Amino acid sequence: MKALDELTFDNRFARLGDAFSTHVLPEPLDEPRLVVASNAAMALLDLDPAVADTPVFAELFSGHKLWAEAEPRAMVYSGHQFGGYSPQLGDGRGLLLGEVYNAAGEHWDLHLKGAGMTPYSRMGDGRAVLRSSIREFLASEALHALGIPSSRALCVIGSSTPVWREKQERGAMVLRLAPSHVRFGHFEYFYYTKKPEQQAELAEHVLNLHYPECREQPEPYLAMFREIVERNAEMIAKWQAYGFCHGVMNTDNMSILGITFDFGPFAFLDDFDAHFICNHSDHEGRYSFSNQVPIGQWNLSALAQALTPFISVDALKEALGLYLPLYQAHYLDLMRRRLGLTTAEDDDQKLVERLLKLMQNSGVDYTLFFRRLGDESAALAVAKLRDDFVDLAGFDAWAELYTARVARDGDDTEEQRRGRMHAVNPLYILRNYLAQNAIAAAESGDYSEVRRLHEVLSKPFEEQAGMEQYAQRPPDWGKHLEISCSS
Ligand code: AMP
Ligand code: MG
């Protein structure tokens, strides 16, 4: 276990130099205070969890103090936003403080979001508000606990600094951890600004540090792109299987590592709705729940375009062709597991589709349905769930197919099947209204609800005593909350 001053830095991205990032010092927030910290994320840095309660912790992650070895940098990138190319983006309010390596030899970027203005702030103030910082913190740690690849969050530090959005709010900072902060948009930036040398340097950097196994392949860059395609297919399959809607899948928000990145107006589905749009500025539904699948491919094509100096167009197209079949295979595998199935049959895809259609038509709670399906024998579970459906004949027909399918599946015991299902079907997810309750309390100075919610979501598959209120459908006020895009 380390103390805060014992972290070991190795700032590999900063060493790429000024063509890639700009030195900027964080601008401190007034009266910093710890809102919430993640012990699991602290462990990634070998930090003793007790350090979160020391004053220096809040000072370090609110811009008041800095390690001597840190080299805070704002990264430059660009990207496609809602389908259109934005030539100049970059860290407008976040800083890569440095890279820390832990005892296991893993490197973690320390990225402080809300750290003030940078050369890439455009019209923005460089700040992040408490509300959005709490949402990013809760989401990254909750996704990780569900087994969905994601950037992580060490802590949220609140403050008394006023920040103007639709109304006056308070500034906060969230400390994000990820093995890399390189986005698709980094490659696009050097491609569209016609800087082939820097682009090659960036490609080498990512290949050496994050895809070293691809070095062994005859075409390392192509192998790396294929791996990125595969990771994205798997990540998006998990989003779809667990009902996660990212909301802003612009290429500047897509990590080169295939991890969920840059949380904005995201949401988990309450009622199943394939057409759900969580970002209320997304008028055309470009990033609606079901569109995430084709948009994943669109984004990979945008990255492929930026990689044409290194890889032939035919090879890129072939690699892109892997995306959909891989996505479908991962998705079906996850859905089979959610249904408690261990074997594969040709009609399983149809079984899933029929169920989702029924859920869609009846507004059935996506998470609780699967959880309850694993509570009892298949026959008993469907009998109890039947009342949630409007099309009873439709549901009965599905239930008959399902119970017969379960009976054919394997020869494990009823109890084993239920255990398997509960291990993949969460009881607790980050529902928007739960986040909203925690935010409202935090905005009035009470951080206990954020901390409790974080705690509950860190064990989403485990029924926790006294936490029934976190495993409920939203109350009327909490359905279809409009989450502001301003953050
Ligand atoms: P986002 O939609 O949060 O991914 O942000 C898109 C771009 O806008 C990124 O380059 C951000 O750094 C920048 N940005 C977002 N909010 C702010 C802000 N309050 N101040 C400065 N830049 C911002
Ligand atoms: Mg972003």
Side-chain angles (χ1 to χ4, degrees):
M1 289 284 193
K2 286 183 178 169
L4 280 164
D5 56 2
E6 290 170 332
L7 294 183
T8 321
F9 283 83
D10 177 17
N11 305 320
R12 304 168 304 179
F13 193 89
R15 287 201 290 275
L16 289 174
D18 292 343
F20 298 85
S21 63
T22 309
H23 174 78
V24 182
L25 284 173
E27 204 182 307
L29 291 173
D30 303 327
E31 302 182 82
R33 65 219 56 176
L34 176 70
V35 175
V36 62
S38 162
N39 286 355
M42 305 266 281
L44 300 174
L45 305 181
D46 306 323
L47 282 174
D48 180 349
V51 304
D53 294 314
T54 60
V56 67
F57 187 86
E59 285 165 4
L60 276 167
F61 300 120
S62 62
H64 286 271
K65 279 214 165 103
L66 205 57
W67 295 266
E69 306 86 345
E71 291 176 68
R73 313 280 299 188
M75 299 165 114
V76 62
Y77 51 82
S78 62
H80 281 84
Q81 299 186 308
F82 289 90
Y85 185 63
S86 301
Q88 171 75 71
L89 297 166
D91 290 331
R93 54 166 167 174
L95 294 174
L96 180 61
L97 294 182
E99 295 168 56
V100 165
Y101 62 94
N102 65 18
E106 298 163 343
H107 277 244
W108 289 97
D109 281 4
L110 267 49
H111 178 101
L112 193 59
K113 193 164 175 177
M117 304 256 270
T118 77
Y120 314 108
S121 297
R122 299 180 296 165
M123 310 301 278
D125 57 5
R127 290 304 191 194
V129 293
L130 182 61
R131 159 177 61 80
S132 67
S133 306
I134 288 176
R135 280 173 54 85
E136 167 139 8
F137 175 91
L138 290 173
S140 12
E141 293 302 283
L143 283 177
H144 172 75
L146 287 170
I148 303 177
S150 174
S151 60
R152 303 293 303 273
L154 188 79
C155 62
V156 175
I157 306 296
S159 78
S160 61
T161 304
V163 172
W164 284 94
R165 293 296 179 256
E166 282 92 359
K167 56 183 174 39
Q168 197 198 79
E169 301 191 40
R170 299 290 169 192
M173 294 190 196
V174 60
L175 195 283
R176 177 163 67 193
L177 299 174
S180 170
H181 274 68
V182 175
R183 307 148 189 261
F184 288 12
H186 276 86
F187 284 92
E188 293 181 282
Y189 175 76
F190 292 106
Y191 173 74
Y192 289 104
T193 53
K194 300 194 170 54
K195 294 180 178 156
E197 278 124 57
Q198 273 109 7
Q199 212 203 6
E201 247 185 287
L202 178 72
E204 281 295 294
H205 175 88
V206 174
L207 183 70
N208 288 336
L209 300 186
H210 305 294
Y211 293 95
E213 65 289 351
C214 296
R215 270 262 172 258
E216 317 303 318
Q217 300 292 318
E219 287 191 65
Y221 289 144
L222 175 59
M224 176 166 81
F225 181 64
R226 269 206 204 105
E227 180 69 26
I228 296 168
V229 170
E230 284 176 24
R231 290 192 194 183
N232 273 269
E234 188 169 352
M235 172 187 76
I236 293 174
K238 289 184 173 172
W239 290 0
Q240 303 309 114
Y242 284 102
F244 177 76
C245 209
H246 181 286
V248 204
M249 290 175 70
N250 295 335
T251 57
D252 52 300
N253 292 337
M254 303 303 294
S255 156
I256 205 71
L257 301 181
I259 60 177
T260 314
F261 203 71
D262 259 17
F263 295 87
F266 69 84
F268 276 89
L269 298 180
D270 290 306
D271 296 358
F272 181 79
D273 179 5
H275 314 299
F276 181 65
I277 303 166
C278 61
N279 179 350
H280 87 269
S281 325
D282 181 9
H283 304 295
E284 272 143 41
R286 179 180 172 87
Y287 300 137
S288 73
F289 181 64
S290 56
N291 262 3
Q292 298 190 119
V293 181
I295 287 292
Q297 176 147 14
W298 194 96
N299 287 342
L300 286 162
S301 313
L303 175 63
Q305 180 65 45
L307 294 176
T308 48
F310 308 117
I311 308 169
S312 79
V313 171
D314 285 346
L316 284 166
K317 278 190 183 156
E318 204 185 311
L320 278 171
L322 298 171
Y323 171 80
L324 210 52
L326 278 171
Y327 163 78
Q328 279 159 344
H330 279 300
Y331 177 73
L332 190 55
D333 178 55
L334 289 162
M335 295 310 281
R336 279 198 183 102
R337 291 201 228 177
R338 297 205 72 178
L339 288 171
L341 304 172
T342 56
T343 57
E345 284 189 13
D346 288 347
D347 282 343
D348 290 346
Q349 175 80 30
K350 277 195 209 126
L351 191 71
V352 172
E353 282 166 9
R354 273 179 80 159
L355 172 63
L356 295 183
K357 200 164 214 176
L358 287 160
M359 291 173 97
Q360 169 99 33
N361 293 341
S362 297
V364 173
D365 189 86
Y366 186 59
T367 301
L368 290 177
F369 177 86
F370 284 99
R371 183 70 183 190
R372 291 187 181 143
L373 195 61
D375 275 347
E376 333 250 0
S377 72
L380 250 179
V382 292
K384 286 196 180 169
L385 286 161
R386 186 175 188 267
D387 288 348
D388 292 345
F389 290 81
V390 177
D391 174 6
L392 290 177
F395 182 72
D396 290 343
W398 181 84
E400 202 179 314
L401 288 175
Y402 174 66
T403 45
R405 176 68 183 85
V406 169
R408 284 197 304 279
D409 185 60
D411 49 13
D412 59 357
T413 65
E414 196 53 56
E415 208 168 291
Q416 283 170 325
R417 190 183 65 89
R418 292 205 304 264
R420 261 201 339 264
M421 289 180 76
H422 279 182
V424 294
N425 291 325
L427 182 57
Y428 312 104
I429 53 154
L430 181 55
R431 296 176 188 271
N432 260 343
Y433 90 93
L434 293 174
Q436 212 46 47
N437 280 338
I439 288 165
E443 284 178 338
S444 61
D446 173 4
Y447 306 136
S448 59
E449 187 57 23
V450 181
R451 294 178 187 188
R452 191 158 46 238
L453 183 56
H454 163 60
E455 203 53 44
V456 170
L457 296 172
S458 67
K459 287 173 275 175
F461 302 107
E462 242 174 74
E463 190 161 350
Q464 298 164 46
M467 297 298 164
E468 298 78 18
Q469 72 271 30
Y470 296 100
Q472 308 291 330
R473 303 186 66 167
D476 280 340
W477 69 263
K479 291 178 185 166
H480 314 295
L481 289 174
E482 285 200 349
I483 301 301
S484 161
C485 206
S486 75
S487 58

